[in-house]
């Protein structure tokens, strides 16, 4: 438990550090050096367009990240107005009552010390549980983080290709880049800044693939009307049309949440409390 609590503090700090390093590399290294085109007007220059795209992806990823943290799990004693909600939470705190004994699809998390309605999982990178209040923002966070990592990966590969005069036309070139770079770095043929960018390429690839996998897996569960907690516990859910399952998570005005980081606008949260 001590290791999990430590991870719950270190993981968000690690993610914010990676985000800050990515922002600095994109704005002050990749964009100025790789997207210069004197023949175009400043308004439609590649540097400005790429910078605007990167800022859009980063703002959505960071905005939804903050909303996931701010949208804390529900306090069942207050949010659902149960007469014995405080006693239920107290029983869960000392482990004398099973989380499934009060309401279906609820779970008490010892890391958060909260009870989550429609609990899905505990996200260490946000230090918060994912449930009915922040599921949509978590999916948008994963989506835009994967896109921002892909954008940084492409820009970084273009920078390394120009700096080292190499081509990535062969798919094996990226796989063999790291071992060759390590040998060149220790032999003094590679600068430390270039080696740092190469390491960031693989980090962006790993984070991007992980976030894309989380997003796709979460969408499949939402279409089926399930959560990860329900799947692990073997809980049976009522079959509903997939459109209703999507609307329950994304709300009626889902397009607004797709473009800008906002709370669960248009979602029928009152109906979730009545279940």
């Amino acid at each position: 438990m001590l290791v999990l609590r430590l991870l719950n503090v270190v993981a968000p700090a690690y993610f914010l550090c990676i985000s800050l390093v990515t922002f600095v590399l994109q704005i002050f290294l990749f964009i100025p050096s790789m997207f210069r085109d004197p023949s175009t007007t400043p308004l439609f220059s590649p540097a400005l367009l790429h910078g605007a795209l990167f800022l859009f992806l980063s703002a959505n990823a960071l905005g939804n990240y903050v909303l996931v943290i701010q949208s804390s799990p529900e306090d069942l004693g207050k949010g659902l107005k149960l007469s014995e909600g405080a006693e239920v939470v107290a029983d869960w705190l000392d482990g004398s009552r099973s989380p499934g004994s009060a309401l279906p699809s609820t779970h008490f998390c010892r890391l958060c010390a909260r009870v989550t309605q429609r609990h899905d999982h505990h996200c260490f990178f946000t230090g918060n549980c994912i449930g009915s209040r922040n599921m949509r923002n978590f999916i948008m966070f994963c989506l835009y983080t994967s896109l921002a990592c892909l954008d940084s990966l492409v820009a970084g590969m273009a920078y390394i290709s120009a700096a080292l005069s190499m081509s990535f036309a062969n798919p094996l070139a990226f796989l063999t880049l790291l071992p060759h770079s390590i040998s060149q770095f220790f032999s003094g043929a590679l600068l430390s800044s270039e080696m740092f960018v190469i390491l960031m390429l693989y980090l962006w690839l790993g984070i991007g693939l992980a976030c894309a996998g989380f997003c796709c897996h979460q969408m499949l569960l939402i279409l089926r009307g399930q959560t990860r907690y329900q799947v692990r516990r073997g809980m049976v859910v009522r079959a509903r049309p997939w459109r209703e399952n999507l609307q329950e998570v994304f709300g009626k005005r889902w397009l607004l949440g797709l473009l800008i980081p906002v709370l669960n606008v248009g979602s029928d949260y009152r109906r979730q409390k009545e279940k």
Side-chain angles (χ1 to χ4, degrees):
M1 183 59 67
L2 180 61
V3 176
L4 294 179
R5 291 185 182 275
L6 181 62
L7 181 62
N8 203 42
V9 176
V10 173
Y14 173 77
F15 174 78
L16 292 177
C17 290
I18 294 298
S19 302
L20 179 61
V21 170
T22 302
F23 180 83
V24 172
L25 288 177
Q26 280 271 20
I27 299 300
F28 297 102
L29 184 62
F30 296 160
I31 295 177
S33 60
M34 301 307 303
F35 295 95
R36 292 179 296 180
D37 190 358
S39 63
T40 59
T41 59
L43 183 61
F44 298 100
S45 64
L48 184 60
L49 294 178
H50 180 82
L53 175 62
F54 174 73
L55 291 178
F56 171 77
L57 297 177
S58 300
N60 274 277
L62 185 60
N64 283 287
Y65 179 81
V66 173
L67 291 178
V68 170
I69 298 176
Q70 289 183 345
S71 302
S72 300
E74 295 88 336
D75 185 348
L76 292 185
K78 297 178 180 179
L80 299 181
K81 297 181 179 179
L82 297 177
S83 59
E84 56 179 15
E87 299 175 0
V88 171
V89 175
D91 290 341
W92 287 351
L93 283 172
D94 59 19
S96 61
R97 181 176 295 193
S98 172
S101 61
L103 289 175
S105 303
T106 59
H107 176 68
F108 173 74
C109 179
R110 295 184 179 276
L111 295 175
C112 296
R114 296 281 185 89
V115 180
T116 309
Q117 178 89 10
R118 287 190 61 82
H119 175 81
D120 189 84
H121 69 285
H122 181 88
C123 178
F124 288 97
F125 282 99
T126 59
N128 203 358
C129 277
I130 308 301
S132 58
R133 296 186 63 181
N134 52 13
M135 175 62 73
R136 200 279 310 275
N137 295 120
F138 174 75
I139 294 177
M140 291 296 100
F141 160 69
C142 291
L143 174 63
Y144 280 106
T145 300
S146 62
L147 293 178
C149 288
L150 176 62
D151 179 83
S152 302
L153 178 64
V154 173
M157 290 177 63
Y159 173 80
I160 291 298
S161 178
L164 302 182
S165 300
M166 62 178 301
S167 175
F168 288 98
N170 186 359
L172 296 178
F174 184 80
L175 299 178
T176 58
L177 175 63
L178 184 60
H180 288 320
S181 300
I182 293 176
S183 61
Q184 291 180 0
F185 175 74
F186 285 105
S187 63
L190 191 66
L191 299 177
S192 58
S193 59
E194 297 172 345
M195 185 64 198
F196 179 76
V197 173
I198 291 174
L199 293 176
M200 289 298 299
L201 293 181
Y202 290 91
L203 188 60
W204 288 326
L205 178 63
I207 295 177
L209 291 178
C211 289
F214 270 115
C215 185
C216 294
H217 179 63
Q218 208 68 56
M219 286 299 301
L220 290 176
L221 291 177
I222 291 175
L223 291 174
R224 295 163 55 183
Q226 290 182 310
T227 64
R228 295 186 193 179
Y229 178 74
Q230 291 173 338
V231 173
R232 291 197 306 267
R233 294 289 180 174
M235 298 180 180
V236 180
V237 297
R238 180 169 57 91
R240 294 188 306 175
W242 61 270
R243 293 181 182 272
E244 294 184 10
N245 295 328
L246 283 178
Q247 183 174 334
E248 185 178 20
V249 175
F250 291 93
K252 297 179 181 179
R253 290 175 286 177
W254 58 270
L255 185 59
L256 180 62
L258 186 63
L259 299 177
I260 57 176
V262 293
L263 291 173
N264 289 359
V265 289
S267 60
D268 197 353
Y269 179 63
R270 182 176 300 176
R271 184 178 62 184
Q272 295 178 8
K273 293 193 293 184
E274 292 175 353
K275 291 183 178 181

